[in-house]
Amino acid sequence: MTLQDKLDAFKADFEAGKPPYSVPRSVIDTMHKATAELIASGAAQRARKAGDRAPDFILNDPDGKQVSSAELLQRGPMILSFYRGVWCPYCNMELQALQAALPELSATGASVVAISPQIAANSRKSVRQNGLDFPILSDPGNAVAAAFGLRFALPDYLVDLYASMRNDLPAFNGDDSWTLPMPARYVIAQDGTIVYAEVNPDYTLRPDPSELLPVLRQLASRVA
């Protein structure tokens, strides 16, 4: 079963109002409206894409240790996943899929990191609950996400919905901007060039990690 198969199965139950979420149809309709507006905005088309230079970053891991993109790229290609946070079930399923694929991804010489606006304590929780062997780096204010062209502000009606559901992004992120990154996954070559980019404003759609392997193997063949 692919990652998207699992996401589709979850979405079907979620949108049918099944427990444990048991959300009413009005909530689903509001989420659909916000996603449709984000798609229509064209924001995804303005994000960094394959062939672009990846922005450099230095961010803290959940234990407060600084992680530099330049240092990671000295070791090999980098797989970068932008993660909305521990509260997002679709995002957690993606991290679990990356973890399951980690042996094959690592065998190509690549490193895997996730970047999230959430505070370190929530990233430690995400690492623990999803059984991750790769770090989630904290991106205060979505600054790195903005450099990749991924940051967007939630519309007021979605802020009201999240607040009513106690999905308190200012508390999760330590930031009252009510901004998030669009879900995105990148492969960055050692020279800093983006060689794979998948950006989708619909957070329920995610590529399978296996799609990265041909790209990574091609990069490895250049080095061999």
Side-chain angles (χ1 to χ4, degrees):
M1 179 180 284
T2 67
L3 169 59
Q4 192 58 54
D5 289 337
K6 295 176 182 176
L7 295 171
D8 288 344
F10 174 83
K11 182 179 180 180
D13 286 348
F14 182 80
E15 297 199 349
K18 294 182 179 179
Y21 295 96
S22 303
V23 295
R25 188 65 217 180
S26 60
V27 169
I28 302 300
D29 290 343
T30 300
M31 291 178 172
H32 284 180
K33 176 183 176 183
T35 299
E37 289 179 354
L38 185 58
I39 293 170
S41 74
Q45 285 70 47
R46 296 189 290 274
R48 295 290 177 110
K49 57 186 180 301
D52 289 344
R53 175 87 185 171
D56 297 328
F57 61 81
I58 299 175
L59 297 172
N60 287 346
D61 73 7
D63 298 319
K65 179 184 175 183
Q66 285 193 333
V67 176
S68 159
S69 59
E71 291 181 3
L72 289 174
L73 289 173
Q74 286 178 358
R75 304 175 199 164
M78 177 170 56
I79 299 165
L80 196 55
S81 177
F82 282 87
Y83 170 65
R84 303 198 307 168
V86 67
W87 52 271
C88 171
Y90 296 92
C91 310
N92 289 323
M93 292 170 75
E94 179 178 8
L95 292 188
Q96 292 163 19
L98 285 169
Q99 175 62 33
L102 191 60
E104 280 189 289
L105 299 174
S106 299
T108 68
S111 58
V112 179
V113 295
I115 291 181
S116 174
Q118 68 186 2
I119 60 176
N122 287 323
S123 289
R124 287 194 292 273
K125 185 176 181 181
S126 295
V127 168
R128 184 172 64 252
Q129 291 185 343
N130 292 301
L132 304 182
D133 293 320
F134 58 87
I136 299 174
L137 309 181
S138 292
D139 181 21
N142 281 297
V144 174
F148 276 83
L150 302 172
R151 183 174 63 188
F152 70 98
L154 275 64
D156 290 344
Y157 66 84
L158 193 58
V159 171
D160 292 342
L161 176 65
Y162 275 31
S164 71
M165 298 172 67
R166 298 183 179 178
N167 194 5
D168 188 352
L169 291 191
F172 278 115
N173 298 344
D175 165 30
D176 62 3
S177 68
W178 287 95
T179 60
L180 287 173
M182 285 183 284
R185 195 185 302 162
Y186 290 97
V187 175
I188 302 169
Q190 284 189 270
D191 66 359
T193 302
I194 296 170
V195 293
Y196 171 97
E198 172 63 29
V199 179
N200 199 322
D202 184 344
Y203 56 86
T204 69
L205 300 175
R206 319 259 174 157
D208 200 78
S210 62
E211 292 186 15
L212 305 178
L213 289 170
V215 178
L216 294 168
R217 287 169 179 157
Q218 185 175 24
L219 289 175
S221 69
R222 294 180 191 171
V223 177

